[in-house]
Amino acid sequence: MNRKIIQAFTAALSVLLIALCLSVSVTAAKGTVGTVSKLKATATSSTATLKWSKAKNAKGYQISVKSGKKWKTVATVTSTTCKIDSLKAGKKYTYRVKAYGKNGKKKVWAKKTKDISVLTAPKKVSGLKGSINGKTATLEWKKTKGATGYVIYQYNSSEKKYSEIKRTTSLKASFKKLEAGKTYKFAVKAYYKNGKKASLSVSYAKVSVTVNPDNISSLKVKSKTADTVTLNWKKAKGATAYAVYKYNTKKGKWSTLISSTKNTTVTIGKLSADTSYIFGVRALTKPGKKAYYSSKYILVSDSTEANVTTTVPEASSSNKAAEPVSLKVNSYGYGGGVIFIEVDPINWDGNFVAASQNITLKVNGTALTTSATCSVPSKKSNGIYEIKITVPEQSINSGDSISFTIPTGIVKNEAGTQYNLSYSSSVTV
């Protein structure tokens, strides 16, 4: 009897001890699983990436997303990072990470969880275009899905980066008082704002615009001959070069004479004598492959000089035979009260009378009250002769039309016979 009682007692005690051991084991396992710490989240327009520090005694982690008032499990991982795909652009997502340990095959959960919210970025701005009107640049783009606004940047060449210059909820932005001939680089990003937090689209949409240079000024005919016209103008702000054109009145269109020159004085050759022409000049700048021109053709019109042929009478039988003389007027110039005339004796090389003579000179059709003096022509190193007409001080202003006559008897041939050369013409200085 006593033996049976002892056996029963021993069996009951063994069961009790096993139960107590199991209970202590489970409780210990639960208490050793720590809480997730240092949880961070980043996002693109379609993904979110969560990262955290390893929890104490954790074997894995459960990631859930908040949907309304409930939580929905989206992933279970054993690492300390998780990437969630197929998200919507420009939306707020709240995630929860909970660590778990193991007691055999059974999961033992941490008592606390860690939550974090993240905003997915809007998609990249599309359809960005830039245009110029005078000194104003206008940017336009298409509406971006998931965006509540847009950030506009301008490239800073000294810092070599884009800097924010404006925020807007519109699909257009304008920038005024830009510099002539300068190229501006702009960029736009979309943003999504929820509360105090905001997310930007990952990449820039970029566009460049170039402001046209200013129009040239003070275009004039500096000098002309029977087959050339020399043009001069003042520099235009923002210009790196200039284009020169000739207008065809019969066809009603412009033809390009010089596509690009950095000079502000050019000579147009191969023209017809005693013919009217209309010339135009535009300023340009070319930062890349495309050229940007000033808004207007600045015009000037004038006529080339007529060709002049002077016939010399025959000398007496005692003198060397004289030949006809053809004078080609090469160019005119004016400065310091002197008109410079270059003439080229094409088939004659003679001497000149060693004396100056007074000539009649008219300014804008009115004769001067005092006489101008025509000097002795001098032969230059290139074989061209230069005649100087000295004008009374302050008699001529820029733009005046001057007419004059080279007097008879100013040249003579090698035998000493004077030539009856008389040449009349006019020029605008």
Side-chain angles (χ1 to χ4, degrees):
M1 182 69 179
N2 290 335
R3 186 179 179 182
K4 289 182 179 181
I5 292 173
I6 291 171
Q7 288 178 342
F9 178 76
T10 301
L13 183 60
S14 298
V15 172
L16 179 61
L17 288 172
I18 292 170
L20 286 172
C21 289
L22 289 172
S23 176
V24 171
S25 176
V26 172
T27 302
K30 278 190 174 181
T32 59
V33 180
T35 304
V36 169
S37 63
K38 297 182 180 180
L39 178 60
K40 296 181 179 180
T42 57
T44 66
S45 60
S46 61
T47 66
T49 300
L50 309 179
K51 292 183 179 181
W52 58 89
S53 296
K54 180 178 172 61
K56 185 179 179 182
N57 295 328
K59 298 296 183 181
Y61 306 89
Q62 183 187 70
I63 295 91
S64 304
V65 64
K66 191 173 185 179
S67 179
K69 294 183 178 181
K70 297 182 179 181
W71 292 89
K72 180 182 177 182
T73 301
V74 293
T76 300
V77 297
T78 56
S79 65
T80 57
T81 183
C82 180
K83 184 177 181 181
I84 301 109
D85 298 315
S86 303
L87 304 182
K88 292 183 179 180
K91 187 177 179 180
K92 179 182 178 181
Y93 290 88
T94 302
Y95 293 99
R96 172 171 288 176
V97 181
K98 188 175 184 180
Y100 67 85
K102 280 201 174 179
N103 184 10
K105 293 183 178 181
K106 186 177 180 180
K107 290 180 179 178
V108 181
W109 296 97
K111 290 183 178 181
K112 295 182 179 180
T113 60
K114 199 73 173 178
D115 298 347
I116 193 169
S117 293
V118 63
L119 305 181
T120 53
K123 290 187 176 181
K124 181 180 177 180
V125 170
S126 62
L128 177 61
K129 295 180 180 179
S131 60
I132 289 289
N133 183 9
K135 299 293 192 302
T136 299
T138 299
L139 309 181
E140 297 181 82
W141 57 90
K142 293 181 181 179
K143 186 175 181 180
T144 304
K145 189 174 182 180
T148 54
Y150 303 90
V151 184
I152 303 169
Y153 304 82
Q154 183 179 334
Y155 187 73
N156 188 318
S157 57
S158 60
E159 297 180 1
K160 296 182 179 180
K161 68 176 185 178
Y162 284 93
S163 301
E164 180 180 334
I165 55 174
K166 186 175 183 178
R167 292 198 174 210
T168 181
T169 56
S170 175
L171 300 178
K172 180 189 291 188
S174 294
F175 301 93
K176 300 179 179 180
K177 297 181 180 181
L178 304 182
E179 292 184 29
K182 186 175 179 179
T183 297
Y184 293 82
K185 296 179 180 180
F186 295 101
V188 181
K189 279 188 175 183
Y191 70 84
Y192 165 65
K193 189 175 183 181
N194 188 298
K196 294 183 178 181
K197 292 184 177 181
S199 62
L200 285 168
S201 51
V202 177
S203 55
Y204 294 104
K206 300 177 182 179
V207 68
S208 295
V209 294
T210 299
V211 183
N212 302 83
D214 288 344
N215 294 315
I216 67 157
S217 60
S218 303
L219 176 62
K220 64 180 181 180
V221 174
K222 185 178 181 181
S223 62
K224 59 184 180 178
T225 68
D227 59 359
T228 67
V229 169
T230 299
L231 307 177
N232 174 260
W233 59 88
K234 290 184 179 180
K235 290 183 178 180
K237 187 176 181 180
T240 57
Y242 304 90
V244 183
Y245 307 86
K246 182 176 69 174
Y247 188 71
N248 189 318
T249 54
K250 293 182 179 179
K251 295 182 178 180
K253 65 179 184 180
W254 293 96
S255 60
T256 303
L257 298 176
I258 303 173
S259 60
S260 179
T261 178
K262 293 183 178 181
N263 300 321
T264 55
T265 299
V266 297
T267 298
I268 312 301
K270 298 181 180 181
L271 303 178
S272 299
D274 198 21
T275 303
S276 296
Y277 290 94
I278 300 174
F279 300 101
V281 179
R282 288 198 296 174
L284 69 94
T285 184
K286 194 175 181 181
K289 293 182 179 180
K290 182 180 178 181
Y292 297 85
Y293 295 87
S294 54
S295 60
K296 295 180 180 179
Y297 290 88
I298 303 303
L299 310 181
V300 67
S301 60
D302 208 333
S303 300
T304 51
E305 295 295 336
N307 281 325
V308 179
T309 300
T310 303
T311 302
V312 182
E314 292 185 1
S316 63
S317 58
S318 61
N319 294 328
K320 185 177 179 180
E323 298 178 356
V325 176
S326 295
L327 288 182
K328 177 185 177 184
V329 179
N330 285 344
S331 64
Y332 293 102
Y334 176 73
V338 178
I339 300 173
F340 300 89
I341 309 167
E342 288 189 351
V343 293
D344 183 5
I346 295 176
N347 62 353
W348 178 81
D349 186 9
N351 299 316
F352 290 90
V353 175
S356 298
Q357 298 187 35
N358 292 335
I359 64 169
T360 301
L361 186 143
K362 295 181 179 180
V363 179
N364 298 325
T366 303
L368 295 179
T369 54
T370 56
S371 297
T373 302
C374 181
S375 69
V376 176
S378 59
K379 186 175 182 179
K380 301 171 73 174
S381 60
N382 60 0
I384 302 299
Y385 288 90
E386 182 178 75
I387 301 173
K388 295 181 182 179
I389 299 178
T390 304
V391 182
E393 187 176 359
Q394 297 180 346
S395 299
I396 300 176
N397 298 309
S398 178
D400 285 345
S401 177
I402 302 170
S403 59
F404 54 87
T405 299
I406 298 176
T408 299
I410 197 170
V411 297
K412 61 183 179 180
N413 66 6
E414 293 177 359
T417 302
Q418 290 193 0
Y419 286 32
N420 291 323
L421 167 63
S422 180
Y423 170 62
S424 299
S425 188
S426 61
V427 61
T428 300
V429 297

